[in-house]
């Protein structure tokens, strides 16, 4: 009787129905602990596959060099002398930094899609852990990798002549806003990764919408040279708000030049707008991603 009862408990209930996965343990503290465990697992994986980090550095460095030396003397910055390469360098770097943190979205989506494809998510689901911890841990690990990429990219930028003109606290605040945007976009990547069948599809899906988002913005060229309807799109773009905020905190703006050509509120208050946009994106896409995760593994 005891043996039969024990077997029934392991494989099903008293009526012979199979039991589901162990119940997830809730609470904020449990979510934090489980998320950190998953983040550690992903960071160890990154260390063991260093080519992922190396290849992730090559693209932004190429963008810095190409934009600086190919376009630096041909793009005029409002308020700066015509052909001033140094003015363009300081204008450009906030855009390159922002592009780098948002392009990490594709990696986040591909990583989650790969875990789903290999069945790792199902193994996590069989454990009594917080359901949101798997995605939160993954996005935190991606945030650490993005921060390391930004450090290397900043060193390269300094070597080619980029300079900041504000105190250290404001410069660090600029990088913090960039990382917040990157973390927000990683949740979009998580949702994409859960919505497709293969890592390849997640990579394509994570990049295709980023190109118009980053290029219809103030990242690489001044907005005043765009058609009127694109000026409004660019200045209400959440990507543009973070770029403008970073430029302001780095001291890479030019005195006397209007912040906005259309009077858009995000350009007039870029730091606050950047925070609001990032928090809104996190709130919306984290909710959607966790819901998708629960339905995908149900």
């Amino acid at each position: 009787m005891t043996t039969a009862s024990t077997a029934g408990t392991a494989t099903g209930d008293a009526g012979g129905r199979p039991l589901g996965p162990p119940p997830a343990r809730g609470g904020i503290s449990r979510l934090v602990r489980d998320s950190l465990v998953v983040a550690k697992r992903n960071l160890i994986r990154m260390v063991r596959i260093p080519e992922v980090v190396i290849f992730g550095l090559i693209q932004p460095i190429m963008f810095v060099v190409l934009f600086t030396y190919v376009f630096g003397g041909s793009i005029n910055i409002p308020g700066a002398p015509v052909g001033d390469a140094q003015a363009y360098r300081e204008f450009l770097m906030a855009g390159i930094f922002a592009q780098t943190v948002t392009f990490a979205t594709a990696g986040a989506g591909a990583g989650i899609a790969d875990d789903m494809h290999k069945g790792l998510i199902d193994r996590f689901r069989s454990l009594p852990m917080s359901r949101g911890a798997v995605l939160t841990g993954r996005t935190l690990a991606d945030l650490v990798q993005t921060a390391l990429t930004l450090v290397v990219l900043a060193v390269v930028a300094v070597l080619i002549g980029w300079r900041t003109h504000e105190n250290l606290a404001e410069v660090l605040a600029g990088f913090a806003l960039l990382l917040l945007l990157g973390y927000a976009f990683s949740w979009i990547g998580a949702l994409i990764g859960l919505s497709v069948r293969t890592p390849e599809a997640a990579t394509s899906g994570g990049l295709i919408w980023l190109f118009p988002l980053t290029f219809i913005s103030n990242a690489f060229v001044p907005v005043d040279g765009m058609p009127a309807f694109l000026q409004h799109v660019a200045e209400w773009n959440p990507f543009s708000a973070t770029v403008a905020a970073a430029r302001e905190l780095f001291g890479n703006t030019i005195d006397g030049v209007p912040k906005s050509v259309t009077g858009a509120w995000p350009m007039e208050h870029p730091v606050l707008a950047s925070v609001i946009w990032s928090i809104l994106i996190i709130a919306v896409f984290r909710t959607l991603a966790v819901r998708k995760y629960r339905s995908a593994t149900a």
Side-chain angles (χ1 to χ4, degrees):
M1 178 67 71
T2 303
T3 302
S5 177
T6 302
T9 302
T11 60
D13 59 15
R17 293 182 296 272
L19 293 174
R25 289 173 284 182
I28 298 299
S29 61
R30 170 55 57 185
L31 172 63
V32 171
R33 284 195 295 271
D34 290 346
S35 298
L36 291 177
V37 169
V38 176
K40 181 180 178 181
R41 172 256 173 193
N42 282 285
L43 289 173
I44 291 173
R45 183 184 181 187
M46 290 175 188
V47 171
R48 291 176 177 173
I49 313 176
E51 56 266 29
V52 174
V53 180
I54 293 171
F55 289 144
L57 286 170
I58 292 175
Q59 179 179 305
I61 291 174
M62 287 177 59
F63 269 106
V64 170
V65 175
L66 290 174
F67 271 86
T68 299
Y69 293 108
V70 176
F71 302 114
S74 59
I75 296 178
N76 297 321
I77 305 302
V82 175
D84 188 340
Q86 179 61 26
Y88 182 67
R89 225 175 261 124
E90 296 191 357
F91 174 89
L92 172 69
M93 284 316 305
I96 294 290
F97 290 146
Q99 183 194 52
T100 300
V101 301
T102 53
F103 271 40
T105 299
I112 290 173
D114 187 50
D115 287 344
M116 291 283 290
H117 183 69
K118 292 179 178 178
L120 182 64
I121 298 295
D122 289 332
R123 292 198 290 273
F124 277 134
R125 184 174 176 266
S126 68
L127 301 174
M129 61 187 297
S130 174
R131 291 289 177 257
V134 175
L135 300 180
T136 303
R138 175 76 205 197
T139 54
L140 288 175
D142 290 330
L143 180 64
V144 173
Q145 181 179 351
T146 302
L148 293 175
T149 303
L150 272 186
V151 170
V152 175
L153 194 56
V155 171
V156 173
V158 170
L159 291 176
I160 65 169
W162 173 65
R163 297 293 182 268
T164 60
H165 305 286
E166 298 292 347
N167 59 57
L168 180 61
E170 293 198 44
V171 172
L172 292 177
F175 281 111
L177 286 181
L178 290 164
L179 290 173
L180 181 62
L181 180 71
Y183 183 69
F185 274 52
S186 69
W187 282 105
I188 301 178
L191 180 61
I192 293 172
L194 291 168
S195 303
V196 298
R197 297 182 180 181
T198 65
E200 293 79 11
T203 301
S204 299
L207 286 176
I208 192 169
W209 60 276
L210 281 173
F211 281 102
L213 184 80
T214 55
F215 282 96
I216 305 176
S217 72
N218 60 358
F220 307 115
V221 296
V223 173
D224 58 3
M226 298 180 181
F229 76 96
L230 281 184
Q231 290 178 357
H232 290 278
V233 174
E235 294 203 328
W236 281 94
N237 184 343
F239 183 84
S240 293
T242 299
V243 172
R247 284 193 186 120
E248 185 173 295
L249 292 168
F250 293 156
N252 291 156
T253 56
I254 298 176
D255 293 337
V257 177
K259 292 183 177 182
S260 172
V261 298
T262 67
W265 184 86
M267 295 297 99
E268 297 292 341
H269 308 87
V271 175
L272 180 58
S274 175
V275 173
I276 291 174
W277 273 122
S278 294
I279 291 175
L280 183 62
I281 291 169
I282 292 171
V284 172
F285 284 93
R286 186 185 189 280
T287 301
L288 293 175
V290 172
R291 185 177 299 170
K292 183 71 176 179
Y293 168 77
R294 287 173 175 164
S295 65
T297 58

